Amino acid sequence: MYTPLDPTRREIRLLEIVKGTNSGPIECVFHIVSLEDDIEFAALSYVWGSSDITKEILLNGQRRDVTKNLESALRHFWSNFATNGINVIRRFNLLEDFIENDRDISSLEIVHDSGANEDQYDKEDDDGGYGDDEDTGSRTDTSTDDNAGENEEDDGCSGGSEGEADSNAYTQSIIERIICAYEHAKVGGGGLLIWIDALCINQDDLSEKSHQIQLMRDIYKKAHRVFSWLGSPDDRKIDFALKTIRRITPCLRPGRESERNLIRRHPELFNWRVAGSITSNQYWNAISNFAKSENFKRLWIFQELLAARDPTFICGEEYLPMSCLRRYMRWGASIPQFPQRTTPSSADDDGVWDILRLKLPRFGVLFDILLAEQPWEELVDKTYLFIEIVRGWHCQDPRDKVFALLGVFPMTTLPDYNKSVIDVYADWATDPLWDVPPEFLLSHSGIGLYPRGLADGNFPSWMPQLDMIGKQIQPWDIIWKKPSASPKAPEYFRPTVSRATGITCYGVQVTEVSEVLTRPSKTASSYNFPEGQRVPHKESGESSAMENGHGILAPILAYLQANRQQLWNEPYPTGGSRLQAFIQTVIDCVIDGSTPEIVPNLSFRDLIRAIKNHTPKKLGTIHDISQQELKLLGFTSEKEDCEFVSNASTDDDSNDPNTGRMSEPAHRTAANEVALRLFFIAMEKSIFHTRNGLLGLGPPGMKQGDLVYLIHGSSLPVLLRKTAEGTFNVGSCYVNGISGIGASSILNIRENDVRKVIII
C-alpha cells in the first residue's frame, strides 16, 4: 500500500477520491509528488477521533480501516461533488467571466443567485433547520428574526456611513463562497488532490513519520486550500454557528458604534429564551458550541491553522473562512467584560449588552495563533508563549508537545519517535536555538507538582513535564506570570542548564518548612497524609468545586478556626497581623487582574462568614461523602462534619483590631472576594508555616523539612529537598514577606551567603 518516499526530493503522498456510493466504501488512490514541484493540492485538518471506532475505505484497492471522523470527511467531499458539482463548476465559470470582463455588482449577484436552491452554500434564505420553536424556543420577534436570516445582502450591513466598506465586504464574501465551494467540490470529484496526515504518512514507519513531520508546516503552507473538518451536523449546530459568524462579520468593528450596529442590524442575536442566558439564544448557543469544539484543543491542529494561508472551517454544507473568524475574535477582544447589571427585557435594553459582554464566546485559545504569527524577533516572551500553547492544546503522544511545534518555534531538535519522552523534553529544554531560561524551567517544574506523568520516576526535577503542565499549574497561579516579570540575575550568578548535570544556580537558604497545614483537593487520593490530616475528599475541577464548596473549603475553614487567636492577635514577622498576611497571600497568589485594597480592613468574622456562605451543603444534605472521605476530612461521622461547618464561629470580634473599619456591605464584598479566591487555593495549593514564623503556599507534594531558597533570576522562592542522591526541585512557592521585590532585597543584603546549588 505504501511505496517508499524519497526524502531528498521532499516527496509526499496525496490522496485522490476516485468514487463512492451511499452504502459502499469510499475509494481512494495515492499519488506521490514532490513539494519542490509546482503542484496544486488541498490539505485536511481534523480531529482524528477514537481509533476504536472505525469505518472501512478502499485505498489503492486494499481495504483500510480509518476513524469514523475521517471516513465522514471523505464521504462528505464525495457526496458534495455528487450532489452539487455541476452547478458549483458552472457558477465558478460565471465568476471567472465576471472578473475577466470587469462586470458590475449586479452581474455578480446573478452569479451568486444562480442555482441558489441547488447548493446549500447559497441557502441563506433558510434557517439551517434550526428555526423551529421545538428546538430553539419561541422568539420575541419572529418577523425580524426571519428577515435577518434571509440572505447576506439583507443583513443590514450595506447601509449607513460605512455602507461602501460593508458592500465591499459583502461582495468579497460572495466571491470567497463561490471559490470555496468550487475547490470543495473538486476534492470530492478527484480534480483536486488532498493531503491527509493519517493516510498520507505511513504511521507504522517511524523513520518516514519523523521525516514527514518536518515537512508538515510546509505542506499546510503550500496547500492551495486547507479544509478544517468539524464533522457532520449534529445537535451542537456548529454548522449554524459558521453561517451566523460569516453573516455578521461584515458589520463587526471595534468600539461602541459596532455594539449599536449589531443590536440594530441583528436584533435576533439579543432575543433569548431564558433571561440573562445568551446560550438560550440559538445563535449564541451555536457559536458557544463552536468555540468549545475539540478542533480548538488539539495541538497538531494549532500548527495546521497557523501554517495555512486562510483555512476554511467546514461542518456539513456550511463553511467559514478563518479570516472571518479572526475578524470576529478581534471584535470580541475589543469588548471589555463587564458584570451583569440588569435583566434584559428587549434588544434595546442596556442590560442585554452587559450580559453579552460578560458571556460572549471569544475563542480565547485561538489568540495563541495570532500571537504565534508575529515575527520571531518581535516576540518578547517566547518561552511563555510556548508554554501557553502547550498547556492549552492537547495531543495523544506526549512527545508531540514538542514535535507539533517544531515548525512554529525555531529549534535544532528533529522529530524522532524512537526517543523517550524525557529525551525529547530534554532536547527542548537545552536547545541552543531556543535558549529556555533556566529560572523558567525551575519555576515550572518540581517533584511536588501534581498530577505526575507516566515517566515520573526518572523525570529530572528541573524539567517541566510538558504533557502534565496544564494540570499541574493553573493560569490563575502567580507562577504563570511572564518570565519578563522575573529579575535578571547578575552575570556571575546567572543559572545554567545541562541535560547531563541539571540546573546550576546560585541562591540563599532563607528558612525551612516546619509544618504543612492543608493539602489541596487534587491530591486527596494520591498522597499519604499524617494521621488526622484534614484534606478535601476528592479531586475536583473548578466548576465542581463551586458546587461542592463544603468538601473543598472545609480544611481551610478548619485551619482558620484552629488558629483563630494567633491570626487575630499575633504580629506577622514582616509587619501587620497574621490575618492580614494570610489574606494578602491569597490575593497575591491568585492572579485575576485586580488587587483589591482590603487587607488592612477585613475582619476575621467576615472572612469566616464568607467561607461558610460558599460551603452550600447544610445539615442533613450531605449525600456524596463516603466514610473513607470523612476520615480524610478528619471527621468520624456526617453529623460531626455538619456540626463543624454549622458551628464555625462568627461571633464576638471584640479582640479583632480590624473590626469596624469598613461598612458592613464593604466587609461582605471584600470577604466574599477572598473566599472565592480560596477555592483556587484549596484545589491547588498547600498552606505551610516556616521555622521563622512565615506563611506560604506551595505545591501539593511539599513536605515538612523542605528548604526555602531564594534563587538569583527568580522572583519566587524555590522549595528544595536534599537527599543522599542530590538536591531536588520540589517546586516554586510563595512566602509572604520574601517573595517578589522582597526576594531581590534579601539576595542583595546576603550576597556573601550566596552558594552554588546543583539541582538534579
Side-chain angles (χ1 to χ4, degrees):
M1 183 181 298
Y2 286 99
T3 302
L5 301 174
D6 184 353
T8 63
R9 296 191 65 247
R10 288 163 47 90
E11 285 185 342
I12 63 172
R13 299 181 187 91
L14 295 177
L15 196 74
E16 176 191 351
I17 298 177
V18 178
K19 64 178 180 179
T21 63
N22 290 328
S23 57
I26 302 297
E27 298 184 29
C28 308
V29 295
F30 281 138
H31 296 267
I32 295 180
V33 302
S34 169
L35 284 176
E36 305 300 331
D37 297 338
D38 185 15
I39 53 175
E40 188 175 285
F41 65 94
L44 184 68
S45 174
Y46 71 108
V47 175
W48 279 29
S50 173
S51 58
D52 296 330
I53 306 175
T54 61
K55 287 195 172 184
E56 191 176 81
I57 66 170
L58 286 178
L59 183 57
N60 278 5
Q62 300 182 41
R63 297 185 181 277
R64 168 72 182 267
D65 287 334
V66 298
T67 62
K68 181 180 178 182
N69 195 39
L70 176 52
E71 195 275 343
S72 70
L74 294 172
R75 184 168 296 281
H76 165 77
F77 280 114
W78 167 79
S79 176
N80 175 267
F81 175 78
T83 306
N84 305 314
I86 295 177
N87 291 318
V88 166
I89 293 172
R90 177 169 57 85
R91 253 169 296 163
F92 178 77
N93 292 334
L94 287 173
L95 174 62
E96 285 190 319
D97 179 69
F98 162 81
I99 295 174
E100 289 175 4
N101 294 286
D102 195 23
R103 295 166 63 183
D104 61 21
I105 185 67
S106 60
S107 300
L108 180 59
E109 289 175 356
I110 293 174
V111 176
H112 172 56
D113 290 338
S114 62
N117 292 324
E118 299 163 344
D119 184 356
Q120 289 190 26
Y121 271 110
D122 292 321
K123 286 187 179 179
E124 295 297 335
D125 59 335
D126 98 38
D127 205 15
Y130 309 126
D132 59 286
D133 290 344
E134 182 178 353
D135 285 343
T136 63
S138 59
R139 302 173 185 166
T140 58
D141 189 347
T142 304
S143 61
T144 302
D145 205 13
D146 289 341
N147 290 337
E150 188 171 342
N151 55 56
E152 293 195 12
E153 59 195 304
D154 289 338
D155 67 1
C157 294
S158 57
S161 60
E162 298 171 343
E164 183 176 351
D166 290 335
S167 179
N168 290 337
Y170 165 66
T171 300
Q172 187 59 42
S173 72
I174 294 177
I175 295 174
E176 170 63 24
R177 291 176 66 197
I178 294 173
I179 294 175
C180 180
Y182 173 68
E183 293 170 346
H184 187 183
K186 279 184 68 179
V187 171
L192 183 63
L193 305 181
I194 189 167
W195 189 85
I196 303 174
D197 57 355
L199 295 177
C200 295
I201 298 176
N202 184 356
Q203 301 294 329
D204 295 327
D205 186 338
L206 295 183
S207 177
E208 177 184 304
K209 183 177 178 180
S210 296
H211 181 263
Q212 289 285 292
I213 284 176
Q214 297 178 53
L215 302 178
M216 282 184 62
R217 182 169 175 82
D218 291 338
I219 291 171
Y220 281 94
K221 185 180 292 187
K222 187 167 184 175
H224 188 70
R225 173 80 62 175
V226 173
F227 294 102
S228 183
W229 173 247
L230 300 170
S232 302
D234 54 27
D235 56 5
R236 296 174 300 160
K237 302 179 182 178
I238 291 178
D239 53 334
F240 190 42
L242 304 186
K243 171 181 175 180
T244 301
I245 294 175
R246 193 182 67 240
R247 184 163 54 86
I248 68 175
T249 46
C251 300
L252 301 181
R253 290 174 181 79
R256 291 287 299 181
E257 183 61 29
S258 180
E259 298 177 8
R260 287 189 288 267
N261 286 344
L262 193 64
I263 291 178
R264 184 177 70 254
R265 297 171 176 177
H266 292 284
E268 73 277 5
L269 299 177
F270 300 90
N271 298 326
W272 22 63
R273 188 177 183 182
V274 178
S277 172
I278 68 169
T279 54
S280 66
N281 174 282
Q282 61 171 340
Y283 300 93
W284 292 119
N285 185 56
I287 293 174
S288 178
N289 290 335
F290 177 36
K292 293 181 286 189
S293 167
E294 187 67 20
N295 287 58
F296 301 143
K297 300 175 184 177
R298 309 308 297 177
L299 190 55
W300 283 110
I301 291 179
F302 171 87
Q303 181 191 219
E304 293 157 9
L305 295 179
L306 177 64
R309 283 175 283 184
D310 187 17
T312 302
F313 298 101
I314 291 180
C315 180
E317 302 303 326
E318 286 296 344
Y319 89 104
L320 177 72
M322 183 69 178
S323 54
C324 281
L325 184 57
R326 289 174 193 269
R327 186 168 183 173
Y328 171 93
M329 289 165 54
R330 290 192 174 97
W331 166 74
S334 72
I335 299 172
Q337 287 184 274
F338 294 128
Q340 177 179 338
R341 289 189 324 211
T342 58
T343 300
S345 58
S346 72
D348 298 324
D349 192 326
D350 288 340
V352 173
W353 192 256
D354 288 335
I355 293 172
L356 187 61
R357 286 171 180 163
L358 187 66
K359 301 180 180 180
L360 179 73
R362 299 173 189 264
F363 296 83
V365 71
L366 290 183
F367 279 95
D368 291 338
I369 293 178
L370 302 184
L371 291 173
E373 287 176 337
Q374 299 179 56
W376 179 252
E377 60 276 5
E378 294 181 12
L379 282 174
V380 177
D381 291 317
K382 301 176 179 65
T383 309
Y384 177 81
L385 177 59
F386 178 89
I387 294 294
E388 275 289 296
I389 294 169
V390 163
R391 74 167 304 276
W393 298 73
H394 312 302
C395 54
Q396 292 182 342
D397 190 322
R399 293 169 291 190
D400 288 337
K401 289 288 188 175
V402 174
F403 293 160
L405 295 175
L406 291 180
V408 180
F409 298 94
M411 287 183 255
T412 61
T413 303
L414 296 177
D416 183 353
Y417 285 94
N418 291 306
K419 288 186 174 182
S420 67
V421 174
I422 293 177
D423 285 339
V424 172
Y425 289 2
D427 286 345
W428 163 75
T430 59
D431 193 291
L433 281 182
W434 186 244
D435 193 23
V436 180
E439 58 271 21
F440 185 92
L441 296 174
L442 207 56
S443 65
H444 290 75
S445 60
I447 60 175
L449 296 180
Y450 178 84
R452 306 299 295 168
L454 296 176
D456 176 52
N458 299 316
F459 223 90
S461 70
W462 56 267
M463 189 189 302
Q465 292 187 275
L466 300 178
D467 57 326
M468 290 284 122
I469 200 166
K471 296 178 180 178
Q472 289 177 339
I473 305 175
Q474 301 304 318
W476 52 261
D477 198 320
I478 189 174
I479 293 175
W480 276 108
K481 292 180 71 173
K482 295 185 179 181
S484 57
S486 298
K488 286 189 176 181
E491 188 65 36
Y492 46 88
F493 285 147
R494 188 160 295 175
T496 59
V497 59
S498 164
R499 65 186 303 155
T501 59
I503 286 182
T504 300
C505 54
Y506 300 85
V508 174
Q509 180 187 334
V510 290
T511 187
E512 180 180 330
V513 175
S514 62
E515 184 180 12
V516 180
L517 301 158
T518 68
R519 300 279 185 179
S521 63
K522 70 191 312 185
T523 62
S525 60
S526 305
Y527 283 86
N528 294 320
F529 300 107
E531 187 68 27
Q533 170 72 59
R534 294 178 183 272
V535 294
H537 65 281
K538 62 182 178 180
E539 183 173 334
S540 177
E542 177 181 338
S543 58
S544 61
M546 298 306 177
E547 299 167 359
N548 186 31
H550 171 80
I552 299 298
L553 288 181
I556 292 181
L557 186 57
Y559 161 72
L560 293 174
Q561 287 293 114
N563 294 272
R564 177 186 176 104
Q565 294 301 323
Q566 293 93 325
L567 289 166
W568 272 2
N569 301 318
E570 290 185 5
Y572 193 70
T574 60
S577 70
R578 298 195 68 82
L579 177 62
Q580 291 171 357
F582 175 81
I583 295 170
Q584 188 64 61
T585 298
V586 172
I587 292 171
D588 286 348
C589 287
V590 180
I591 307 298
D592 72 342
S594 62
T595 305
E597 298 293 334
I598 62 176
V599 177
N601 303 307
L602 187 60
S603 74
F604 185 87
R605 178 188 62 189
D606 288 302
L607 181 58
I608 293 293
R609 179 182 294 161
I611 294 175
K612 288 179 64 179
N613 289 340
H614 288 287
T615 57
K617 293 177 183 278
K618 304 299 182 184
L619 188 63
T621 63
I622 298 177
H623 301 298
D624 64 341
I625 299 182
S626 66
Q627 287 299 316
Q628 177 62 28
E629 291 167 335
L630 283 169
K631 185 177 179 180
L632 285 173
L633 283 165
F635 300 112
T636 58
S637 66
E638 290 185 8
K639 181 179 180 181
E640 181 185 348
D641 180 15
C642 296
E643 288 177 349
F644 168 77
V645 176
S646 299
N647 296 330
S649 176
T650 60
D651 58 2
D652 187 15
D653 271 330
S654 58
N655 295 323
D656 189 344
N658 298 318
T659 302
R661 295 188 182 179
M662 288 194 299
S663 65
E664 193 67 21
H667 269 290
R668 287 196 297 268
T669 300
N672 281 332
E673 187 162 357
V674 173
L676 286 171
R677 296 186 189 205
L678 280 173
F679 269 111
F680 301 107
I681 300 297
M683 287 188 287
E684 299 287 336
K685 295 291 186 180
S686 297
I687 300 177
F688 67 92
H689 283 167
T690 68
R691 294 204 181 280
N692 57 350
L694 299 177
L695 172 73
L697 299 177
M702 65 178 298
K703 294 180 180 179
Q704 179 181 347
D706 287 341
L707 307 177
V708 180
Y709 264 75
L710 291 178
I711 302 294
H712 272 289
S714 175
S715 62
L716 291 175
V718 177
L719 291 173
L720 301 181
R721 187 174 300 163
K722 293 188 176 182
T723 70
E725 299 176 13
T727 301
F728 292 87
N729 174 33
V730 179
S732 291
C733 65
Y734 177 95
V735 180
N736 189 283
I738 64 172
S739 296
I741 298 176
S744 299
S745 301
I746 294 173
L747 284 170
N748 291 333
I749 294 171
R750 297 184 58 182
E751 182 171 346
N752 292 334
D753 298 327
V754 172
R755 296 291 182 267
K756 179 168 74 172
V757 182
I758 299 176
I759 301 173
I760 62 175

